Amino acid sequence: MTNSDLNTTLVVVGAGMAGFAAALQAAQDGHDVILLEKLSETGGSSAMSGGCLAFAGTDLQLANGVDDSNELLFKDLREVGKFENDESLVRAYVDNQLDTYEWMKRAGVQFGPHIETSSGQSVPRVHNVDPADAVRALAASAQRTGRVRLLAGTRALRLVRDAQGGCVIGVTAERGGETFKVLGSRGVVLASGGFVQNAGLVHRYAPQYNEETAVFIGGAGNMGDGLKMAQQLGADCRDMIYIKGTYGKHPTDETNHHSLLAVYKGAIAVNQNGKRYVDESISYKLLGDACIQQPYSATFQIFDQPIFDSGDNQTRILDIERRHEEGLVIQADTLEELAGMIEVPADALVDTVDAYNRYVDAGHDPEFGREHLVHQHGKLVKIQKAPFYAYPSAAAVYGTYCGLCVDAAMRVLDVYGEPLAGLYAAGEVVGGLHGAAYMTGSALGKAAIFGRIAARTALAD
């Protein structure tokens, strides 16, 4: 390729789930796309994720006897976000989610046959995919259209505006040490991900999360490039104070990128003093906040054999058995022995478990108000049947879940709430959907849903 200026209909920055969703949608609508990816490989944080997508009213739910609806999904998203999320974005997600699920299947994305309940969900709506395979399926479908040109190893440096009207018409890009422009007659979709790998930006917005309190995991390219390019033009941002770590990451495991949420199967979380410190049913982002405030910013998930057996090996964040096989779960015949192995006071751990079991029997948790296994779903269970288990758990910042202000059509808004003409965004670079916490599956979900919306809006404006 010669590094001269390139022209197309739509420029998409970032080749993860959101980028490929936008590119494929535009191509299916009959338009040419140039898709830029600064790394040599595509996928980004999407391919590294747990592979969960939150959809409602699907054939998979029906097959599993789950009664779900747009109304319940909307209610759950608003509630888990503590109503700090943008209602119009939540509505855009909900109104387009079922069509996007079917669209992904037609594009070749394979969903597992089993669904689960996780953070922020009142009913099982975790739809599982192999995340890398899902991105590859969208990429292959995009390639088959003959309308999407992928430029890997090509970094977008700055947005380009029309000198007369100020409309965004492309990007200045760099490839192999040379710079050139990629111009799109219908503008630019930013799908460049978050900034989990940019310690300076994370510290600016969430100084409580640092290398001493949390683990940082995400796409190597997630440095906030798209965020900064848009900010340079006056783009506004939201939810920046809600950067949070996900609870359940083993603090010393370097093999798995995923958390384990045995708490959503009935485990309790105890600190280094052997004491509970939180309602374990809340969003695992809020559990992350609670965890980093404990001694050494690390705690333990405590459970027994029935809870172990209830794990789900088809859902990564609930796959207790796999973690046990990898030697990460600590096992003992008694709680006293378990306490010694994890170096917490034995009497405190026994008292904590005994008290919790009494709360389950009484149907009331006076300490932290836990009522369900997860969000509004599931009946609490006691921890009483040996062997007993502990899973060391810290908080991991997998993504930033905040970013550019957009309207419900994915137009990027400036600090006065006005659209920046020609500029659209989707995926992790967008703020406003999650609010104060997070529903499992809504990050990959919004990548696909909002990517499609962004492309359609750009081509219609």
Side-chain angles (χ1 to χ4, degrees):
M1 185 190 85
T2 58
N3 286 342
S4 56
D5 292 352
L6 303 175
N7 290 272
T8 189
T9 303
L10 186 65
V11 179
V12 179
V13 179
M17 179 75 77
F20 276 117
L24 176 57
Q25 184 63 61
Q28 289 176 335
D29 290 344
H31 300 277
D32 294 330
V33 179
I34 292 180
L35 177 58
L36 307 180
E37 171 55 53
K38 75 176 181 180
L39 301 182
S40 59
E41 296 184 359
T42 61
S45 288
S46 298
M48 298 174 61
S49 73
C52 302
L53 294 101
F55 295 121
T58 67
D59 55 356
L60 184 58
Q61 286 180 313
L62 182 62
N64 283 273
V66 177
D67 184 17
D68 202 359
S69 66
N70 279 10
E71 291 72 24
L72 184 57
L73 174 60
F74 181 85
K75 178 177 180 288
D76 284 350
L77 283 167
R78 290 285 281 151
E79 284 182 353
V80 75
K82 296 188 176 296
F83 300 95
E84 290 292 325
N85 38 14
D86 184 330
E87 185 173 352
S88 70
L89 293 190
V90 177
R91 179 56 63 190
Y93 182 106
V94 170
D95 287 348
N96 291 277
Q97 55 89 23
L98 189 55
D99 180 68
T100 296
Y101 167 71
E102 298 292 347
W103 175 84
M104 292 179 73
K105 290 198 298 180
R106 292 194 299 271
V109 176
Q110 298 291 317
F111 289 88
H114 183 63
I115 56 176
E116 268 289 358
T117 314
S118 190
S119 175
Q121 300 177 1
S122 294
V123 297
R125 64 169 69 102
V126 172
H127 293 68
N128 292 285
V129 299
D130 180 294
D133 284 350
V135 175
R136 281 192 285 265
L138 295 183
S141 291
Q143 186 178 28
R144 285 194 295 269
T145 67
R147 291 187 173 276
V148 178
R149 182 179 182 183
L150 172 65
L151 300 182
T154 305
R155 180 179 179 182
L157 302 174
R158 295 288 190 276
L159 293 165
V160 177
R161 300 178 99 170
D162 184 302
Q164 297 178 341
C167 181
V168 175
I169 58 171
V171 299
T172 300
E174 183 273 329
R175 178 185 175 98
E178 299 183 47
T179 60
F180 56 101
K181 293 179 181 177
V182 183
L183 304 176
S185 60
R186 295 299 180 90
V188 175
V189 174
L190 294 174
S192 51
F195 51 92
V196 69
Q197 299 292 2
N198 189 326
L201 273 183
V202 172
H203 182 75
R204 178 185 303 174
Y205 298 116
Q208 70 273 25
Y209 281 101
N210 53 58
E211 293 183 353
E212 294 182 358
T213 60
V215 181
F216 291 84
I217 300 171
N222 281 24
M223 298 293 293
D225 298 345
L227 181 77
K228 291 186 288 187
M229 284 191 290
Q231 285 179 319
Q232 186 183 31
L233 303 190
D236 201 3
C237 297
R238 62 172 298 153
D239 296 344
M240 311 307 279
I241 64 170
Y242 295 124
I243 296 173
K244 298 180 184 299
T246 295
Y247 182 65
K249 176 69 176 70
H250 194 289
T252 61
D253 176 30
E254 297 182 357
T255 302
N256 298 289
H257 294 309
H258 313 295
S259 289
L260 176 67
L261 277 304
V263 287
Y264 291 162
K265 288 296 186 178
I268 59 173
V270 304
N271 58 23
Q272 306 288 331
N273 298 319
K275 299 292 186 180
R276 289 177 69 219
Y277 57 92
V278 71
D279 171 1
E280 295 89 349
S281 72
I282 62 177
S283 168
Y284 46 48
K285 298 294 179 185
L286 301 179
L287 291 177
D289 272 354
C291 176
I292 67 169
Q293 297 172 20
Q294 302 306 306
Y296 308 107
S297 301
T299 65
F300 301 94
Q301 296 180 63
I302 304 296
F303 49 101
D304 66 356
Q305 189 62 46
I307 295 173
F308 182 105
D309 294 338
S310 71
D312 176 12
N313 61 13
Q314 297 183 62
T315 303
R316 295 184 183 189
I317 59 175
L318 300 173
D319 192 350
I320 302 172
E321 184 176 7
R322 176 182 173 184
R323 299 297 191 274
H324 186 263
E325 291 173 351
E326 293 168 340
L328 300 174
V329 179
I330 301 166
Q331 177 179 340
D333 291 331
T334 66
L335 285 172
E336 290 85 354
E337 181 184 355
L338 186 67
M341 296 173 73
I342 61 176
E343 298 182 345
V344 304
D347 55 347
L349 181 62
V350 171
D351 288 347
T352 295
V353 173
D354 286 346
Y356 181 76
N357 288 340
R358 290 196 298 272
Y359 301 158
V360 174
D361 283 335
H364 175 59
D365 172 11
E367 285 191 276
F368 301 102
R370 185 178 190 180
E371 297 180 349
H372 299 283
L373 296 182
V374 51
H375 196 53
Q376 304 297 323
H377 175 80
K379 184 178 180 180
L380 298 181
V381 295
K382 293 195 288 187
I383 300 169
Q384 59 184 354
K385 186 174 181 180
F388 299 96
Y389 301 91
Y391 190 80
S393 299
V397 181
Y398 293 107
T400 37
Y401 305 99
C402 60
L404 300 173
C405 282
V406 295
D407 64 14
M410 303 303 123
R411 301 179 185 94
V412 178
L413 305 177
D414 67 16
V415 293
Y416 292 104
E418 297 295 327
L420 290 165
L423 187 60
Y424 313 87
E428 193 182 346
V429 75
V430 168
L433 175 70
H434 305 300
Y438 177 73
M439 176 188 290
T440 299
S442 59
L444 275 188
K446 83 169 182 179
I449 296 165
F450 289 179
R452 297 181 70 207
I453 294 174
R456 286 176 165 170
T457 302
L459 298 170
D461 279 355

